[in-house]
Amino acid sequence: MKGIVFREFISMVENEFSIETADEIITASNLKSEGAYTTVGTYPHEEMVELVSHLSAKTNISVPELLRAFGNYLFQRFTIIHADYIVNHQSAFELLKLLDGHIHVEVRKLYTETELPSFEHEENADGSLILIYKSRRALADFAQGLLEGCVAHFQHAMQIERQDIPEENGAHSRFTLRPMKAKHV
Ligand code: HEM
């Protein structure tokens, strides 16, 4: 996993909890990196699992909830640090349809040794968008948070449904993004 993700996670902990909490979870985790992450470095995914588990133990917030919160936070950060990939789009659907074939393809060029998920999409006749998330890292909660952050950024009223399909070699989740109809008054 890229250092940028670790650095953003630690900054979320510092901002949303405290600097002391961030220090404590780093000390409690058995990290080969010792918590010193560079943006373009690559670190074992297990270090993120350890950090999140210690944060969960300390805060009594479940690991899935923390991963979702982090996804939300990271999308907001992407609108600043990777604005180029976001500002030209008019809607969440426009961006999400380009996630697999364009945005994450560019991410692979920008950062070496990336481990990215796949996000196939299908458009439904009823106006909803289906995204099929596949990854060996099984970070569907994190993906959900990123999707929520994306929808919030474009200020859409949208329902996000998720169906998880466990597989032997990773996970597979089907997200349905359904625009909410405006109420007639
Ligand atoms: C709503 C839009 C997005 C979603 C749902 C999404 C989803 C994800 C997920 C779930 C991962 C974790 C890896 C895995 O599950 O296998 C990931 C990694 C990553 N994504 Fe995205 N992403 C989005 C937008 C972006 C944007 C706009 C950028 C920046 C240009 C970006 C850059 C990255 C990077 C750098 C990683 C880390 C790769 C690694 O650690 O090797 N993503 N993304």
Side-chain angles (χ1 to χ4, degrees):
M1 183 171 265
K2 298 312 292 180
I4 183 171
V5 181
F6 285 95
R7 287 178 74 121
E8 292 298 335
F9 177 75
I10 292 166
S11 78
M12 177 193 79
V13 177
E14 288 175 350
N15 291 324
E16 307 287 323
F17 298 95
S18 67
I19 293 177
E20 292 73 31
T21 305
D23 284 344
E24 278 176 43
I25 63 163
I26 291 170
T27 310
S29 305
N30 182 18
L31 307 174
K32 214 171 151 206
S33 68
E34 295 178 355
Y37 300 106
T38 65
T39 308
V40 292
T42 306
Y43 306 89
H45 166 239
E46 290 71 28
E47 293 205 357
M48 182 58 77
V49 175
E50 267 220 61
L51 288 166
V52 179
S53 318
H54 284 293
L55 183 61
S56 171
K58 194 171 159 48
T59 59
N60 275 327
I61 303 172
S62 70
V63 167
E65 232 179 292
L66 289 170
L67 286 172
R68 255 178 83 178
F70 177 44
N72 265 281
Y73 176 90
L74 190 60
F75 191 88
Q76 282 175 48
R77 291 285 299 144
F78 279 161
T79 64
I80 300 163
I81 55 180
H82 281 303
D84 293 358
Y85 296 98
I86 295 166
V87 291
N88 297 331
H89 301 296
Q90 306 303 318
S91 72
F93 281 8
E94 197 185 299
L95 182 145
L96 292 169
K97 286 193 271 180
L98 289 174
L99 180 58
D100 215 25
H102 177 68
I103 300 176
H104 274 169
V105 173
E106 291 299 313
V107 169
R108 268 183 225 284
K109 295 182 199 160
L110 215 58
Y111 298 92
T112 52
E113 305 171 86
T114 48
E115 293 180 316
L116 288 159
S118 90
F119 269 104
E120 285 164 31
H121 72 268
E122 288 165 28
E123 283 175 90
N124 276 341
D126 68 359
S128 58
L129 182 77
I130 294 177
L131 286 168
I132 315 275
Y133 164 78
K134 285 188 191 161
S135 166
R136 287 197 300 119
R137 288 158 297 284
L139 288 169
D141 296 304
F142 178 51
Q144 185 173 344
L146 280 158
L147 291 172
E148 288 167 353
C150 178
V151 164
H153 170 75
F154 288 100
Q155 300 183 321
H156 298 315
M158 188 115 50
Q159 218 183 335
I160 303 179
E161 291 159 22
R162 170 173 148 200
Q163 189 192 0
D164 291 332
I165 303 135
E167 282 171 13
E168 235 171 61
N169 203 5
H172 172 161
S173 296
R174 182 187 167 93
F175 291 98
T176 307
L177 282 75
R178 206 179 294 285
M180 293 202 267
K181 294 203 177 70
K183 280 195 189 111
H184 295 287
V185 278

